[in-house]
Amino acid sequence: MALEIHPIEFDGLQAVELTSPSARMVVITGMGPRIAYFGKPGGENLLYWKNDDLGREGWKLLGGHRVWVTRPLADESEDAYAADNGPCEVRLFKDGLDVTGEMHPVLHTRRGLRIRQVGGATFQVTAFITNCGPMLYSGGVWSPTCTNPDGGKEYGIPLGDRRLSWDVINLVIPRTFAGHTARVNDPQITFNEDFMIARPQGVESKRMVMAPMGFIVMTWPEKNLSFIKHASYHPNGRYPFGCNLALYIGPDNYMVEMETYGEEQVVLPGATIENRETWKLVERVFDWSDPDLLRGELERVD
């Protein structure tokens, strides 16, 4: 589990590099915050990253992993991305770091990432929002991870939970949203009894699901490598359209976004809300046949 932590420059930006014998992560601190790189040491970046991407109204998408602030049914409003490309404050620890962005100019909130290594190739990645103002704030914390789908990568979400006596699957298709589109009859998206599976073919698409197991997985057969993301689902939580996970396929396969959604809630002055994910790299390929394998991989100490 030995972890080395070093300030570096990455793609012209101030950053912190976390490396172990089995994983490498680069966290951008000069703006954002963002995670710009995740993968094997000396291997290819599993994340999409492009520093010259302008985004909207001066905001940069950049890619990687970011903290997205949502207001109920207003997840594409300016609230969601204002103050997202400013400089960050950094605190280093022996097992990770905290990175906090600048103050939102109107809402008086601050967003950030808390990252801790919990195994050789396993990290807790917690996105958070703190209400620094004197008034109530309401919203949620989303954790979108822009990945690079090249090389025949596949994506899967285990649907439902067969341990439950009442097992219901909720699927939402945003056919038009914020200038984007998603086909209903999309051959990129298939299902078996336990998984929704995405095999990107370059056509824009999005699916949102209520998935109590809380897993999104990218698997890369060519490299015998998989990237697991997990976030706990709270049955009584208020989630957008009742969904806690989503996959977005960008046009021309420029990226695939693996998204987990935190609950929407009231944030008292001085309080913090968060969405805690577990990230893990595993040297195996998932064939979308047994969701219990994901639980086993996440619980296995590496």
Side-chain angles (χ1 to χ4, degrees):
M1 287 179 58
L3 184 69
E4 296 184 5
I5 302 175
H6 301 287
I8 64 168
E9 183 178 286
F10 184 87
D11 200 12
L13 298 169
Q14 291 180 336
V16 174
E17 179 184 57
L18 298 84
T19 55
S20 75
S22 51
R24 177 182 183 234
M25 178 183 290
V26 176
V27 184
I28 300 298
T29 60
M31 63 186 302
R34 295 284 201 289
I35 299 175
Y37 182 101
F38 187 60
K40 302 284 288 184
E44 298 179 49
N45 191 1
L46 298 180
L47 307 185
Y48 163 80
W49 180 261
K50 190 176 181 181
N51 192 11
D52 61 352
D53 189 322
L54 292 179
R56 65 182 76 168
E57 298 177 3
W59 175 79
K60 290 188 175 184
L61 171 65
L62 296 176
H65 177 81
R66 66 188 186 278
V67 183
W68 196 254
V69 181
T70 178
R71 307 299 295 277
L73 297 181
D75 60 283
E76 293 287 345
S77 68
E78 190 175 356
D79 298 5
Y81 55 86
D84 193 40
N85 290 139
C88 302
E89 294 181 4
V90 184
R91 296 180 63 197
L92 299 180
F93 302 89
K94 65 179 182 180
D95 58 349
L97 74 163
D98 293 351
V99 188
T100 306
E102 64 181 5
M103 185 83 70
H104 190 290
V106 176
L107 301 176
H108 304 293
T109 56
R110 297 184 72 185
R111 71 187 73 196
L113 290 171
R114 184 180 306 115
I115 299 168
R116 299 291 186 272
Q117 185 198 37
V118 293
T122 308
F123 295 82
Q124 278 188 351
V125 179
T126 303
F128 64 86
I129 304 168
T130 299
N131 182 1
C132 301
M135 309 298 287
L136 296 175
Y137 176 78
S138 67
V141 190
W142 292 8
S143 301
T145 306
C146 301
T147 67
N148 176 2
D150 291 345
K153 300 183 184 77
E154 299 179 2
Y155 299 78
I157 295 176
L159 300 173
D161 190 336
R162 290 182 179 269
R163 299 176 303 177
L164 304 177
S165 61
W166 194 271
D167 190 9
V168 177
I169 295 170
N170 180 26
L171 172 68
V172 172
I173 303 175
R175 188 151 57 178
T176 58
F177 58 104
H180 301 278
T181 60
R183 293 184 296 179
V184 175
N185 184 16
D186 188 344
Q188 301 173 112
I189 311 296
T190 60
F191 298 85
N192 62 28
E193 284 302 307
D194 292 297
F195 284 88
M196 181 180 77
I197 304 153
R199 297 181 175 92
Q201 300 169 21
V203 179
E204 185 175 49
S205 190
K206 184 165 185 173
R207 296 292 187 271
M208 303 166 63
V209 297
M210 183 271 282
M213 288 183 64
F215 286 97
I216 305 183
V217 182
M218 178 182 75
T219 197
W220 194 1
E222 181 182 304
K223 301 291 185 179
N224 193 41
L225 186 66
S226 293
F227 169 27
I228 301 172
K229 280 206 339 168
H230 176 266
S232 296
Y233 171 73
H234 302 108
N236 297 320
R238 184 175 65 183
Y239 293 94
F241 298 104
C243 298
N244 62 314
L245 305 178
L247 279 171
Y248 169 75
I249 301 173
D252 300 319
N253 277 4
Y254 83 94
M255 74 167 184
V256 171
E257 205 163 49
M258 303 164 65
E259 306 176 41
T260 72
Y261 298 158
E263 304 167 70
E264 294 171 341
Q265 52 195 300
V266 175
V267 190
L268 298 173
T272 297
I273 61 172
E274 63 182 34
N275 183 35
R276 178 179 295 177
E277 296 184 325
T278 300
W279 291 22
K280 186 170 185 178
L281 288 179
V282 298
E283 293 183 354
R284 68 168 298 159
V285 174
F286 290 97
D287 61 3
W288 318 123
S289 62
D290 185 358
D292 287 330
L293 290 176
L294 295 174
R295 287 195 183 100
E297 284 290 358
L298 205 65
E299 292 167 358
R300 182 173 60 85
V301 177
D302 55 6

